[in-house]
Amino acid sequence: MSLHDQDDPALREAQEARLRKVWEPPKGLFLRWTDTNNNRVGVWYVLTAFGFMLFAGVLALIMRMQLAVPDNDFVDAGTFNQLFTLHGSVMMFLFAVPMFEAVSIILLPQLLGARDLPFPRLSAFGYWSFLIGGVFVSGSIFFDAAPDGGWFMYPPLTTRTDLSGLGADIWMLGLSFIEVSSVAAAVELIVGVLKCRPPGMRLNLMPLYAWYILVVAVMILFAFPPLIAGDVLFEMERLLDWPFFDASRGGDPLLWQHLFWIFGHPEVYIVFLPSIALFAMLVPTFARRHLLGYPWIVLAAVGTAFLSFGLWVHHMFATGLPKISLAFFSAASEAVAIPTAVQIFVFIVTLWAGRVVWSTPLLYATGSLAIFVIGGLTGVMVAVAPFDWQAHDTYFVVAHLHYVLIGGTLMPLFAGLYYYWPLITGKKLSDRLGRTAFWLIFLGANLCFFPMHLSGLEGMPRRVFTYPEELGLGGLNLASTIGSFVIAAGVAVIVLDLCRSPWRRKAPRNPWAAGTLEWLAHPDDEDWGIRSIPLIESRYPIWDQEDFVRKVDEGRYFLPDAEEGRRETIVTSVLDARPVSVIRLGGPSWLPMLTAVALGGVFILTTYHFYWAALVSGMLTLALVLTWLWTGTAEIPEKPRKPIGHGIELPLYISGDAAPGWWAMFITMMADATAFSGLVFGYYFFWTRHEDFPPMAMADGPGVWWPMVALVVGLASWLATAGAREVHARGKIALARVLVLLGIAASLAGIYAGLAGPWLSGMDPQMHSYPAIVWTLAIWTTAHCGVAAIMLAYVLARSLAGKMTPAHDADIRNVTVYMHFLALTVAVTYLTIGLFPELA
């Protein structure tokens, strides 16, 4: 029967009878600590990120008090350095990126008409990792142990332990742990957008918010891993004295700048694009029409992301790079303004063509665009290398950065807060308080940061804790300080508004009369989400599809019941959103929290050089991860198929590239391969920077023999796994187990062979950057061989336990994806370190 022919009373009665059974979550304290429902996890994520923002704001106020007048002694130089390092680090790593991930965890399931994202336990793990790492890094300032090298932590001042204390390790290892949570969230969001859309929601019908989040999550996969690679090199220099950034031993501090800014400049757009995504949702609502230029804004978002990876040297114009490089990166820095302008003009034109209903969210949106445009104009100025040479390391750059971040991140988030608060809590915030807060923040931001353009052009250097009266900059700095406290007053009004929210009466459903799917949510909704998963035929189905809300509420679309008492949603195809299967979502569990605590122990204990305790914590992490996988993934269902309504039956188990788990492994390995490419970049960077790389005394390196042996056994492990997957699918289980055993043996042999070359050749990684980078590549690759052996042993155990069969083979298919990337890693590493010295 057609979905449009649903007014048969008998059909309606049958559907209403099926609605009597729903998924019921557990209650009480257990749920509070172990919950994996993305809506509640997202709320805690948002509140925690907002708390870190307030903390960083207090640090900024203390800095502005110090700079209010010349020759001030409110805080000393060391404390000031800790303040500005933590302020920048917290705002970028603990507020801007986690906040967008938190908001997306809440909104995406509802925007996609899904019961939840595909891996709710992964979202919970990401939250706990973020919380533990954030408290560890932020709390260091209360013990006078905060990092003090700036949020960019440039070597060699930060890598030399005699010049920097424990704060550098706290920054590096704590934020590396937080980066794990960011990558975990990116995996969840990408798979959610690609595989959990409702039937009919083709890519060209996706809400623009989903497009933006997909683009930004992909950016995270390529931006964060180079920083992780830099973190590895940074900590190996600090902990083991391997000279990656020590110029006297063949290192180069510029390698850190390259790896950091390959992350750092895309990071600006990673926090900007999700905020623009909020505009893409609220502008059509208050313009009372569809957003104009949908294809153009999608292309502009993709173009912004693409160009953002081509202008990291924008931050390195003063480092003496070749002039042709400066010209290329200057042009790229200016070109990125084009797709950004396209997005802004689309919003303006939509408002121009619509019937605008002014509201508090729209007030924040338009005000933030005004501030952002000023930041964009100064960004074009510093993109010109000669001007950048004059403004570099002055307060002009501070002003530009804060105009971009306040206009492109902070105020859009406040717009989204006022827009989506009724969706999250069922209650609206105060228009009066919201408008008061807006004008305080808008005026305060301009009073605080516009004078910094002038003070910077007059020679005020950044990162100084005081300045002499003779500079004549006291008035401009005092104005900036007053402006900072006006901003703080505006934020305080918002906090007051949030605190009063629980005592307000509930708002009506969809109070803004929006047209997108998230507003199907009802203030009294229970934990199972929407009543039925709809068929989508429009970008604004609430506006365009007849009786859409009523049909969803009455369960007249797909999967309206929970016959087995499980929380479920539909998996669809990537391009055209055809129903593929039903996926069962993980319920409340201690495992995400315990795994995050154990993994956090690895980073925190390593910071204090408790290496044996860190090793124990690492083994505990491995045990918890294996338990998580064993009990929570690739479950064999009690029946092969399940009816979802309207005569359609879908399988309860799928594997391969149609399954969310396969996509999660592929995406995770893309991030892993990007981090690895950062290490390989380091090898060839040293080669381009030094005429004698490898040095003549070390030209033999690890030799050819052992790297080639390691290459052969690594590829043998890959081939054995791929063969096991194929014969297992044909029902030859015994042969598949033998091949898995061979894969384990080859992976273990790869560990020995990979380390034998640099070990037997006597390469001392403390002498020079060449043996250090060779050892690093070898350790990275052999560690992956060790992970491969563990994965294959897990697959063998699943097979022997009867939890993996030819019809239920997701485990071996997912591990094979890992092995494909391992083969690539093995080939690049051993061809580089084994043959490159010979070719050189």
Side-chain angles (χ1 to χ4, degrees):
M1 177 175 290
S2 168
L3 283 173
H4 303 287
D5 183 21
Q6 297 185 11
D7 292 323
D8 180 5
L11 175 61
R12 179 179 297 185
E13 183 180 350
Q15 288 171 333
E16 289 175 354
R18 295 173 68 191
L19 291 175
R20 293 171 187 158
K21 186 171 183 60
V22 295
W23 175 73
E24 288 285 358
K27 305 293 183 183
L29 185 63
F30 174 81
L31 182 67
R32 186 177 306 165
W33 293 101
T34 66
D35 192 18
T36 57
N37 180 289
N38 270 6
N39 188 57
R40 283 193 296 270
V41 170
V43 170
W44 281 109
Y45 229 137
V46 166
L47 293 175
T48 305
F50 192 76
F52 282 125
M53 184 271 288
L54 296 178
F55 170 73
V58 171
L59 301 183
L61 292 177
I62 297 173
M63 286 190 290
R64 287 313 317 169
M65 290 173 66
Q66 167 63 21
L67 294 170
V69 295
D71 300 313
N72 198 359
D73 60 356
F74 181 67
V75 296
D76 59 30
T79 302
F80 187 89
N81 288 340
Q82 293 184 32
L83 290 170
F84 88 76
T85 300
L86 266 191
H87 169 74
S89 301
V90 171
M91 281 296 194
M92 296 302 287
F93 291 100
L94 297 177
F95 168 63
V97 174
M99 180 60 83
F100 111 74
E101 292 173 338
V103 171
S104 301
I105 285 172
I106 296 173
L107 291 184
L108 263 186
Q110 303 187 63
L111 273 167
L112 300 177
R115 298 276 161 67
D116 211 332
L117 294 177
F119 311 112
R121 291 185 179 181
L122 187 62
S123 296
F125 167 77
Y127 168 71
W128 287 109
S129 299
F130 158 67
L131 175 64
I132 295 168
V135 170
F136 176 60
V137 173
S138 301
S140 60
I141 197 168
F142 299 108
F143 301 94
D144 196 29
D148 57 4
W151 77 281
F152 35 78
M153 295 294 283
Y154 284 163
L157 295 178
T158 53
T159 50
R160 286 181 53 180
T161 54
D162 59 325
L163 297 177
S164 59
L166 190 64
D169 295 310
I170 291 174
W171 187 93
M172 191 60 58
L173 292 169
L175 293 182
S176 296
F177 183 42
I178 294 165
E179 289 155 18
V180 170
S181 74
S182 296
V183 173
V187 172
E188 172 85 325
L189 297 175
I190 293 172
V191 179
V193 171
L194 293 180
K195 297 297 295 177
C196 292
R197 303 196 307 276
M201 186 182 277
R202 304 184 303 275
L203 289 178
N204 67 332
L205 293 183
M206 282 202 313
L208 280 171
Y209 187 88
W211 264 114
Y212 273 103
I213 296 308
L214 177 62
V215 169
V216 171
V218 172
M219 290 178 69
I220 287 176
L221 295 184
F222 293 100
F224 275 71
L227 180 60
I228 293 174
D231 292 347
V232 170
L233 302 181
F234 189 103
E235 273 307 307
M236 293 181 85
E237 177 156 336
R238 280 189 61 88
L239 298 179
L240 303 176
D241 194 29
W242 292 14
F244 300 107
F245 310 112
D246 184 350
S248 66
R249 291 182 286 168
D252 196 322
L254 280 185
L255 174 59
W256 170 261
Q257 290 200 36
H258 280 290
L259 292 175
F260 183 87
W261 289 116
I262 288 173
F263 148 81
H265 204 89
E267 160 86 346
V268 174
Y269 297 95
I270 286 172
V271 302
F272 162 67
L273 289 175
S275 302
I276 289 292
L278 294 172
F279 291 172
M281 303 310 295
L282 66 88
V283 165
T285 296
F286 297 115
R288 292 295 184 258
R289 60 158 300 130
H290 292 204
L291 190 75
L292 295 172
Y294 179 96
W296 292 104
I297 200 168
V298 171
L299 290 174
V302 174
T304 301
F306 179 79
L307 289 172
S308 72
F309 283 93
L311 40 113
W312 77 89
V313 177
H314 172 103
H315 297 267
M316 301 172 62
F317 283 166
T319 59
L321 294 173
K323 289 183 174 57
I324 189 170
S325 298
L326 301 185
F328 171 81
F329 288 102
S330 178
S333 300
E334 294 176 12
V336 77
I338 297 173
T340 304
V342 168
Q343 297 167 76
I344 293 173
F345 279 116
V346 164
F347 299 137
I348 294 173
V349 171
T350 300
L351 290 169
W352 187 279
R355 303 184 307 276
V356 176
V357 177
W358 280 101
S359 65
T360 301
L362 190 59
L363 180 65
Y364 277 95
T366 53
S368 65
L369 286 178
I371 292 178
F372 180 79
V373 167
I374 296 174
L377 292 174
T378 56
V380 173
M381 294 171 66
V382 296
V384 179
F387 180 84
D388 184 78
W389 290 336
Q390 304 304 314
H392 191 75
D393 272 347
T394 71
Y395 262 75
F396 187 94
V397 178
V398 177
H400 156 68
L401 175 65
H402 284 83
Y403 262 90
V404 169
L405 293 179
I406 289 178
T409 301
L410 186 65
M411 290 185 67
L413 283 171
F414 289 151
L417 177 70
Y418 275 84
Y419 182 65
Y420 279 120
W421 195 251
L423 181 73
I424 298 171
T425 67
K427 301 177 181 180
K428 290 181 68 174
L429 294 173
S430 166
D431 285 329
R432 180 174 58 85
L433 291 178
R435 292 170 189 267
T436 301
F438 166 77
W439 287 112
L440 287 171
I441 295 171
F442 183 83
L443 297 174
N446 286 284
L447 179 59
C448 179
F449 297 110
F450 192 83
M452 291 183 185
H453 294 104
L454 304 177
S455 61
L457 291 175
E458 292 186 21
M460 176 75 179
R462 63 195 296 196
R463 306 169 197 147
V464 293
F465 85 107
T466 191
Y467 53 94
E469 187 174 359
E470 291 75 17
L471 282 179
L473 299 175
L476 291 172
N477 276 291
L478 181 60
S480 293
T481 298
I482 294 171
S484 69
F485 278 88
V486 175
I487 296 173
V491 174
V493 172
I494 292 177
V495 172
L496 173 64
D497 200 1
L498 293 173
C499 291
R500 294 179 59 184
S501 175
W503 288 273
R504 294 195 176 102
R505 58 187 175 84
K506 285 201 171 184
R509 186 181 192 181
N510 192 5
W512 310 115
T516 42
L517 273 181
E518 73 272 29
W519 293 103
L520 286 171
H522 194 280
D524 297 319
D525 268 354
E526 296 292 342
D527 293 304
W528 51 77
I530 60 174
R531 190 76 267 180
S532 58
I533 296 174
L535 176 70
I536 299 302
E537 301 170 340
S538 164
R539 294 178 188 137
Y540 300 89
I542 294 178
W543 287 347
D544 299 341
Q545 293 182 221
E546 186 179 357
D547 291 332
F548 181 76
V549 175
R550 178 178 65 83
K551 291 175 181 178
V552 170
D553 288 347
E554 292 178 355
R556 300 177 68 186
Y557 284 106
F558 298 111
L559 208 62
D561 62 343
E563 182 183 352
E564 299 86 12
R566 301 289 297 273
R567 191 157 58 116
E568 299 168 330
T569 195
I570 297 176
V571 172
T572 54
S573 58
V574 171
L575 295 179
D576 54 2
R578 289 180 295 100
V580 174
S581 72
V582 173
I583 181 176
R584 287 177 169 172
L585 304 165
S589 172
W590 289 97
L591 289 170
M593 182 178 69
L594 295 178
T595 305
V597 170
L599 183 60
V602 175
F603 288 94
I604 294 172
L605 292 168
T606 301
T607 301
Y608 295 99
H609 303 173
F610 298 139
Y611 298 119
W612 285 109
L615 179 61
V616 172
S617 189
M619 297 301 293
L620 178 60
T621 303
L622 176 60
L624 289 168
V625 168
L626 292 176
T627 303
W628 181 348
L629 294 173
W630 190 274
T631 59
T633 62
E635 174 189 354
I636 297 178
E638 74 285 351
K639 57 185 177 183
R641 304 179 71 82
K642 176 184 178 73
I644 64 169
H646 305 280
I648 300 174
E649 288 191 352
L650 295 180
L652 283 166
Y653 188 104
I654 55 172
S655 61
D657 59 8
W662 186 95
W663 280 89
M665 177 63 80
F666 178 80
I667 293 165
T668 302
M669 294 315 300
M670 286 293 295
D672 181 89
T674 306
F676 171 66
S677 69
L679 300 179
V680 176
F681 171 83
Y683 187 101
Y684 289 101
F685 175 80
F686 289 137
W687 174 63
T688 61
R689 295 286 290 177
H690 302 295
E691 294 182 1
D692 60 339
F693 188 88
M696 293 302 297
M698 306 177 184
D700 292 338
V704 176
W705 167 252
W706 281 111
M708 293 306 102
V709 172
L711 174 62
V712 169
V713 295
L715 296 179
S717 176
W718 164 57
L719 291 173
T721 305
R725 179 198 61 188
E726 295 302 319
V727 300
H728 185 268
R730 296 185 177 90
K732 300 177 181 179
I733 296 177
L735 178 57
R737 291 172 179 171
V738 171
L739 289 173
V740 169
L741 280 171
L742 290 175
I744 295 172
S747 296
L748 295 175
I751 297 175
Y752 177 80
L755 297 178
W759 178 265
L760 296 177
S761 61
M763 299 183 74
D764 183 356
Q766 294 183 342
M767 289 183 60
H768 191 271
S769 62
Y770 171 63
I773 195 67
V774 167
W775 266 108
T776 301
L777 289 171
I779 291 171
W780 178 276
T781 306
T782 54
H784 282 66
C785 289
V787 172
I790 294 170
M791 285 185 169
L792 290 171
Y794 174 83
V795 165
L796 182 61
R798 295 280 288 185
S799 178
L800 293 172
K803 293 182 176 292
M804 187 180 79
T805 69
H808 305 92
D809 60 350
D811 294 306
I812 193 167
R813 288 188 178 274
N814 295 346
V815 170
T816 303
V817 174
Y818 175 89
M819 298 302 292
H820 292 332
F821 282 88
L822 175 65
L824 177 64
T825 302
V826 164
V828 171
T829 293
Y830 296 125
L831 291 176
T832 294
I833 68 177
L835 297 183
F836 184 75
E838 298 297 322
L839 297 177

